[in-house]
Amino acid sequence: MKKIKVNLGKNSYDILICSDELDKLGPCLKRLNIGKDAVIVTNPGIKKLFGAKIKKALVPSGFNVRFETVPDGERAKSEKECLRLLNNISGFDTQRRVFIIALGGGVVGDLAGFTASIYKRGIPYVQVPTTLLGQVDSAIGGKTAIDLSAGKNLVGAFYQPKLVFSDTSFLKSLPEKELASGLAEVIKYGIIKSPGLFSFIEKNYAAILNRDKKCLNRIVYECSLIKAGFIEKDEMDNKNVRVMLNLGHTIGHAIEAAANYRRSYNHGQAVVLGMLSSIYIAEKIGLMTEKVSRRIKNTIKNIGLPDKLKNVSLKNILSAQSRDKKFIHGKNRFVLPAGIGRVIVKEGIPVRLVKEAIENLYESKKR
Ligand SMILES: NC(=O)c1ccc[n+]([C@@H]2O[C@H](COP(=O)([O-])OP(=O)(O)OC[C@H]3O[C@@H](n4cnc5c(N)ncnc54)[C@H](O)[C@@H]3O)[C@@H](O)[C@H]2O)c1
Ligand SMILES: [Zn+2]
């Protein structure tokens, strides 16, 4: 088991990375002393896969366990589910020692974390991420949120977990498309910060896709370390540091929104398309060479992530983009790669170039 400490003063916590060691969760939580009554927020599919196992990991350490299931998919990040959770938790909270365990992907993690942040002005919660995206990204950093009909993540809080417990053996049952979605964020970390991580994915993509235990453990460890570093420097995302993690996300979010979160493009797939647009812009303004961008494109292809955009119109993407919160004061702002392992933030990219970069994602000129 590997441990990374996220140093945030009184909000500090550990990220534990292991494989097939869920039985250690009970003793770890006992040491944290955050309560006795564990509300496990999850969805029916994940409960079926890991519910009995997590219960078995907690009961011998003296925890009372109660499951709260929410629907699968983004629709669970709603005010309705959040309120239902709050009411159910209050019913269970008779001894004032309740805490929340988020068992699932980013959806469960965001909803459970946000619910923990507002119940009684904040109760402890723990992230047990079961998707690769959760383990390398969403479970770390304390951004919690639910969606409104006007947009994603519009109601949220910065609220750090007490522990992130990433057991990579969860990833064995993850659908291929979800594994690839997490790998999109892994590629992103390589481009932002780590040429070594990028070369590792480039060379070992076949073993990674085969869910080789050593490869997955290494990836989750390195990405967690990178993300922890950004969080420590900029916990509240207001120091222009955490913003680097948004590589590919400006256009990626616009693609997700234009596709109406129909899951035709999941988060990672949209982010990869967004990264390809950023690479296009970076090449055009002389930040990176064709040779480097070819390496990234090949890796994206080898992982089985999309490199072309279908079924979403350019008009809808551009209109979603102009509403994005990352467009500050009507001036756009992009994180652009400057090779592998370094990114820069640039404001005021000409709209014509942004449009051209998105147009370049389509197979043919027919849209
Ligand atoms: N808080 C943050 O910093 C942050 C960062 C990135 C993304 N997010 C949020 O995360 C969400 C996306 O998260 P996600 O990609 O993990 O999607 P998700 O939570 O919807 O999970 C993807 C699918 O995989 C299933 N699943 C989960 N674990 C499984 C397992 N081990 N085996 C089989 N199936 C499993 C889920 O039931 C779901 O159907 C979005 O809502 C996004 O806004 C948050
Ligand atoms: Zn992301």
Side-chain angles (χ1 to χ4, degrees):
M1 183 177 283
K2 286 200 161 186
K3 180 162 102 177
I4 294 167
K5 181 156 184 172
V6 189
N7 287 303
L8 297 170
K10 64 176 180 22
N11 292 337
S12 298
Y13 54 97
D14 289 341
I15 302 168
L16 300 177
I17 297 136
C18 59
S19 183
D20 240 333
E21 292 180 73
L22 189 58
D23 53 325
K24 307 238 168 84
L25 181 63
C28 288
L29 291 179
K30 205 171 171 180
R31 279 194 295 277
L32 283 177
N33 206 13
I34 52 173
K36 278 275 175 212
D37 300 328
V39 174
I40 302 179
V41 179
T42 191
N43 74 32
I46 300 169
K47 185 180 175 196
K48 202 166 166 199
L49 285 167
F50 312 118
K53 222 172 162 188
I54 196 166
K55 193 170 176 187
K56 207 170 142 213
L58 297 173
V59 172
S61 295
F63 291 103
N64 300 310
V65 172
R66 174 184 173 125
F67 286 94
E68 282 298 331
T69 53
V70 298
D72 191 10
E74 189 68 29
R75 72 202 154 117
K77 278 172 63 173
S78 66
E79 63 206 57
K80 181 174 153 240
E81 288 306 320
C82 181
L83 271 179
R84 198 175 58 78
L85 277 180
L86 289 166
N87 277 308
N88 291 357
I89 291 166
S90 72
F92 186 51
D93 179 22
T94 49
Q95 313 277 330
R96 297 166 174 259
R97 51 182 197 177
V98 75
F99 69 99
I100 292 179
I101 297 178
L103 177 71
V107 163
V108 162
D110 281 11
L111 167 70
F114 179 63
T115 306
S117 80
I118 56 173
Y119 180 68
K120 288 184 166 173
R121 299 191 186 87
I123 55 168
Y125 81 109
V126 168
Q127 291 275 13
V128 183
T130 61
T131 62
L132 181 61
L133 186 126
Q135 298 187 350
V136 300
D137 189 3
S138 63
I140 307 165
K143 279 193 182 176
T144 70
I146 58 170
D147 305 335
L148 294 181
S149 47
K152 251 179 79 121
N153 298 329
L154 288 183
V155 180
F158 283 97
Y159 192 61
Q160 301 293 344
K162 296 292 179 198
L163 176 75
V164 179
F165 190 94
S166 293
D167 187 327
T168 59
S169 68
F170 286 135
L171 309 180
K172 284 182 205 157
S173 55
L174 200 60
E176 246 166 59
K177 188 175 168 184
E178 300 304 334
L179 183 74
S181 176
L183 288 170
E185 301 283 0
V186 177
I187 293 172
K188 180 195 81 175
Y189 286 117
I191 300 172
I192 295 174
K193 193 75 187 170
S194 173
L197 175 63
F198 187 86
S199 311
F200 181 77
I201 312 161
E202 196 174 33
K203 288 191 195 108
N204 298 287
Y205 69 88
I208 295 168
L209 291 173
N210 262 328
R211 299 167 208 228
D212 176 85
K213 182 171 134 180
K214 273 194 182 152
C215 287
L216 291 177
N217 284 5
R218 171 161 174 184
I219 283 175
V220 173
Y221 178 77
E222 289 199 17
C223 294
S224 302
L225 202 59
I226 295 172
K227 182 141 187 192
F230 280 97
I231 306 302
E232 284 174 353
K233 291 195 192 88
D234 188 7
E235 183 182 355
M236 309 304 274
D237 198 6
N238 55 8
K239 293 186 182 144
N240 263 338
V241 176
R242 218 168 148 160
V243 64
M244 305 290 181
L245 297 170
N246 290 334
L247 173 67
H249 282 63
T250 307
I251 291 174
H253 282 151
I255 293 172
E256 272 188 295
N260 258 330
Y261 306 101
R262 270 180 295 150
R263 281 261 173 216
S264 49
Y265 289 106
N266 65 22
H267 182 70
Q269 291 173 320
V271 164
V272 148
L273 292 164
M275 284 199 287
L276 288 168
S277 309
S278 306
I279 289 167
Y280 181 92
I281 296 170
E283 258 191 69
K284 288 281 169 192
I285 63 172
L287 270 179
M288 71 190 288
T289 62
E290 211 270 329
K291 196 176 157 206
V292 176
S293 85
R294 176 90 9 235
R295 270 182 75 193
I296 300 175
K297 286 175 191 164
N298 280 340
T299 304
I300 288 172
K301 245 200 157 96
N302 288 338
I303 293 291
L305 282 159
D307 58 354
K308 289 288 168 216
L309 189 53
K310 283 182 209 135
N311 308 325
V312 190
S313 80
L314 178 67
K315 186 171 150 265
N316 288 353
I317 296 172
L318 290 173
S319 112
Q321 194 174 18
S322 59
R323 291 193 302 267
D324 190 287
K325 60 187 175 200
K326 278 167 206 85
F327 270 70
I328 46 163
H329 313 305
K331 205 178 191 190
N332 68 32
R333 187 182 202 213
F334 279 88
V335 181
L336 297 175
I340 292 174
R342 198 169 86 86
V343 283
I344 61 156
V345 179
K346 209 161 166 62
E347 282 183 6
I349 302 290
V351 176
R352 172 196 52 77
L353 184 54
V354 176
K355 196 170 158 223
E356 200 181 297
I358 302 170
E359 269 173 341
N360 191 54
L361 293 172
Y362 290 90
E363 196 89 57
S364 66
K365 293 287 165 214
K366 208 171 107 229
R367 281 183 289 280

